[in-house]
Amino acid sequence: EFKGRLAIGDPAHVPAGQYAVAGLKYFKWYDVLKDRFLPGKDARSTLMAVEMGEAEMGIVYSTDANISTKVKIVAEFPPASHPPVKYMVGTCMEASPEGAKFYDFLFSKKASETLKKYGFKVK
């Protein structure tokens, strides 16, 4: 039975923490666990807290957990348990030519294949 600390991104500032809270509330675990949260300043520091043993478990993006050799994924929240995780991208009207090229690159086949390789879903 899990009795330790639970690392999550600080839900007041970190989207990953907000998704974690939504997932915990979906399963009605939030009230039981909220006093044991170890809030991280971002998703990677949350993962690091688990890697270093500062927290027994953590809720992080699967893309981050998949690149770590120090943690084991024990479960995943189903998509219905939290708002969709989206990464928005845009460019400003006065973008440099390099910025515009990078924006175009993000929607290229090569970038799409790389993102998929690391567990991202690309539309």
Side-chain angles (χ1 to χ4, degrees), residues 2-76:
F2 170 64
K3 295 185 182 200
R5 302 216 45 202
L6 177 66
I8 69 167
D10 184 342
H13 309 287
V14 181
Q18 295 163 5
Y19 296 124
V21 167
L24 292 169
K25 286 181 176 180
Y26 177 86
F27 287 104
K28 298 181 177 29
W29 297 333
Y30 178 80
D31 289 331
V32 174
L33 296 172
K34 68 182 177 184
D35 293 334
R36 295 170 34 202
F37 288 169
L38 177 59
K41 67 177 183 156
D42 56 39
R44 289 294 176 103
S45 64
T46 301
L47 175 63
M48 190 182 305
V50 180
E51 290 176 330
M52 295 175 62
E54 294 175 13
E56 186 178 335
M57 299 184 88
I59 300 173
V60 299
Y61 296 121
S62 62
T63 50
D64 289 332
N66 284 332
I67 62 170
S68 174
T69 59
K70 299 177 181 179
V71 300
K72 176 183 172 189
I73 297 173
V74 296
E76 291 187 24

